[in-house]
Amino acid sequence: MADGKVHWRQGRTTTVVPGGRVRRVEVSGQVLALHLFDEQQPLTVRHRIPEAVSTLASEIEALIGDTPGDLPAVRSETPSVWPVRAVRALGAWIAGVARAARRTTVKQRCWLGYLFVVVPMMIGTGTPDRPGFLLALLTAAGYGVLRLADKLAKPRTRWILARRGVTVQTKAASGKGGVLKITYHSLDGERHTLDTTGDARHWSEIRFDPRDPTRFLFPTRALWIFELLGGLLLAALGAWLLTPLLSWVLELVP
């Protein structure tokens, strides 16, 4: 009994009986009969100890008196067998993975595909001369170096600003901790502030994209050469690290 209800279990089926649905309780030795309203056949249970049957009958009778009559109807609950539960759990897990996949970005999906598809393939097809785990590490390192090269050289930003960039004057002011605050105005008069470090004399101008004022470059020759050369060197290193991946792909192609 729980929550004012009698839970009558027979085999795998449990009958939940609200206290207000019980009409009377009868005890005959080791047998307890539970008579319900609107039910012709009583629920019966047998126990080898008569005292336990009497105690249970007293508890049910007390439940009848303490429970209001306007309660939900009698219901039966049969738990599904474990294969059905396993299939349902697997379906719920697959649905959860699908929902999580829809919330991921393209870059995150590429990394997941690399970790769970490409890396096992590399390890499975590896050789003693070229371990698959080492190939996977070199591939990840090569991709990371190429990302650093892209952030340093900014080829897409330079291409866009070369076509439609606008150069404007800036105002620099020193901030806390050696941070330099640079202010410039876009063509619509909106004010933008950047935090950087360096000498204010080197940041007297800025080149930005009128369509996206947050995309900008400092038109300084020394900085431009440093970023370009550094990006090219990192790109060459990343390409060298990805060379084993290229040879591995060529070996898989029939």
Side-chain angles (χ1 to χ4, degrees):
M1 291 181 293
D3 300 329
K5 300 176 183 178
V6 180
H7 296 260
W8 200 276
R9 184 172 182 179
Q10 292 178 323
R12 296 179 57 252
T13 303
T14 301
T15 304
V16 181
V17 182
R21 300 302 182 193
V22 180
R23 183 167 56 185
R24 68 177 186 277
V25 182
E26 292 182 353
V27 177
S28 177
Q30 298 177 337
V31 179
L32 184 148
L34 194 66
H35 295 268
L36 308 179
F37 290 101
D38 302 330
E39 296 288 341
Q40 296 181 355
Q41 289 295 111
L43 301 176
T44 59
V45 65
R46 181 183 295 275
H47 197 277
R48 58 186 179 85
I49 302 176
E51 290 77 7
V53 176
S54 300
T55 302
L56 180 60
S58 301
E59 293 179 358
I60 296 176
E61 288 178 350
L63 184 65
I64 296 173
D66 294 340
T67 308
D70 188 14
L71 292 173
V74 179
R75 71 176 189 273
S76 297
E77 299 176 351
T78 303
S80 57
V81 294
W82 72 265
V84 177
R85 294 198 299 270
V87 171
R88 290 177 179 174
L90 179 61
W93 181 80
I94 293 175
V97 171
R99 288 194 297 269
R102 285 193 293 268
R103 292 194 295 267
T104 57
T105 62
V106 176
K107 185 184 300 183
Q108 291 172 340
R109 293 175 187 177
C110 292
W111 271 111
L112 290 175
Y114 171 75
L115 291 176
F116 294 103
V117 178
V118 179
V119 171
M121 289 179 60
M122 290 179 176
I123 296 177
T125 58
T127 61
D129 297 335
R130 189 180 58 191
F133 185 71
L134 178 60
L135 178 61
L137 289 179
L138 289 176
T139 303
Y143 174 79
V145 172
L146 288 179
R147 290 286 300 170
L148 289 176
D150 179 71
K151 289 186 177 181
L152 181 61
K154 306 180 185 70
R156 185 170 182 271
T157 300
R158 295 186 185 279
W159 170 253
I160 293 175
L161 295 184
R163 290 185 299 144
R164 61 170 184 257
V166 177
T167 302
V168 295
Q169 297 294 319
T170 63
K171 293 182 179 179
S174 299
K176 296 182 179 179
V179 177
L180 189 67
K181 293 186 175 295
I182 298 176
T183 303
Y184 69 98
H185 292 80
S186 57
L187 299 182
D188 57 359
E190 185 177 358
R191 179 179 177 181
H192 299 272
T193 302
L194 307 174
D195 292 339
T196 184
T197 57
D199 191 348
R201 294 173 300 176
H202 297 161
W203 316 125
S204 59
E205 292 181 341
I206 194 171
R207 190 171 181 85
F208 70 95
D209 181 10
R211 300 181 185 177
D212 184 7
T214 60
R215 181 185 288 119
F216 65 91
L217 285 175
F218 294 108
T220 303
R221 182 173 300 178
L223 181 62
W224 182 85
I225 295 175
F226 169 77
E227 292 178 344
L228 182 60
L229 292 180
L232 290 176
L233 292 176
L234 288 177
L237 176 60
W240 178 76
L241 292 174
L242 292 177
T243 302
L245 174 65
L246 179 61
S247 61
W248 176 74
V249 172
L250 293 177
E251 290 178 0
L252 294 181
V253 176

